[in-house]
Amino acid sequence: DVKVTQSSRYLVKRTGEKVFLECVQDMDHENMFWYRQDPGLGLRLIYFSYDVKMKEKGDIPEGYSVSREKKERFSLILESASTSQTSMYLCASSPTDTRYEQYFGPGTRLTVT
Amino acid sequence: DQQVKQNSPSLSVQEGRISILNCDYTNSMFDYFLWYKKYPAEGPTFLISISSIKDKNEDGRFTVFLNKSAKHLSLHIVPSQPGDSAVYFCAAGGTSYGKLTFGQGTILTVHP
C-alpha cells in the first residue's frame, strides 16, 4: 500500500521561528510536491521536485524554501514564520510515468501565533 | 489569477440521484484533467482523470466529461451515495513536470 507520511499532524509555532515540515514517501516516486490548502482558495503549489536535489518554484513560493537530499524525503522550510502562513500543508508524490496522479499525505495543520 | 475555477462551493443531493460537479479553466496549455476527493483529516485521493484527446472517461459510478471548446469539465456521480460526501477538487496539468493547478473545491453532501 502506497504511503506518504508527514512529520506532524498539528504544529503551533511563534512568529519569526524557523519551521521544518518533513515528508517521506515509500513508493520510490521521482516527483514530490508541497501545497497549502486554504478555505476558498483550494490547493496552491508552493514548490515541487522532480529529482534529488532538483527543485522548482510553484505558484506561491515566497517565504518558503525546500530541500530534497534523498529521493524519499522532501522538506518544506519556513525561514521566518508569519501569521499569514497559518494553513494546512499537504505533501504529495507521483511517479514519472503517471506524474499527474499524485498521492497525498494526511496534511500538517500549522498555526503561527 | 485563478486558472482553474469551481464556482459552486457546495452541492447537496439525495441518495440515489445524480451529482454533477463543474469546473472551468482558462489556460489552453492544460492537456490533462483530474478529480480528487478529500475527506476531513485526510489528504486528497485521486478519483478519475481525462486527457485532452478524449471527451469522456468512465469508471464505475464516476464519469468525467471534457468540453475543450468551452474549457469546461464536469464530474457525474450516478447513483450518489452518502459515502460520496466529501470535498471534490478538479485539477489541471500540462505545463511542466506533473505540476497541477487545483480549483477551490466543492463540498458535496449526499443525504440518505
Side-chain angles (χ1 to χ4, degrees), chain B residues 6-110:
Chain B
Q6 294 175 254
N7 292 315
S8 298
S10 63
L11 176 67
S12 182
V13 300
Q14 285 296 125
E15 181 177 6
R17 307 295 285 268
I18 185 171
S19 295
I20 300 176
L21 296 96
N22 294 301
C23 180
D24 297 295
Y25 63 96
T26 57
N27 191 336
S28 300
M29 298 299 291
F30 291 143
D31 63 3
Y32 202 80
F33 304 89
L34 308 92
W35 286 93
Y36 282 80
K37 176 178 174 179
K38 185 181 186 300
Y39 292 119
E42 295 182 14
T45 54
F46 166 71
L47 188 58
I48 192 169
S49 63
I50 187 167
S51 78
S52 60
I53 61 172
K54 293 186 173 182
D55 54 17
K56 178 182 173 181
N57 187 29
E58 264 182 281
D59 184 3
R61 296 186 297 113
F62 302 91
T63 302
V64 56
F65 295 92
L66 176 63
N67 182 332
K68 288 188 291 294
S69 60
K71 293 191 174 68
H72 178 83
L73 67 153
S74 60
L75 174 68
H76 292 209
I77 306 173
V78 185
S80 301
Q81 299 174 354
D84 296 329
S85 297
V87 180
Y88 289 78
F89 292 99
C90 68
T95 51
S96 71
Y97 285 119
K99 179 186 172 186
L100 289 175
T101 301
F102 282 82
Q104 305 96 314
T106 297
I107 301 169
L108 173 66
T109 304
V110 181

Side-chain angles (χ1 to χ4, degrees), chain A residues 34-52:
Chain A
W34 274 107
Y35 296 89
R36 61 179 283 177
Q37 181 191 357
D38 300 288
L41 297 176
L43 278 69
R44 293 180 292 165
L45 182 65
I46 304 170
Y47 267 97
F48 65 103
S49 168
Y50 52 89
D51 201 352
V52 176

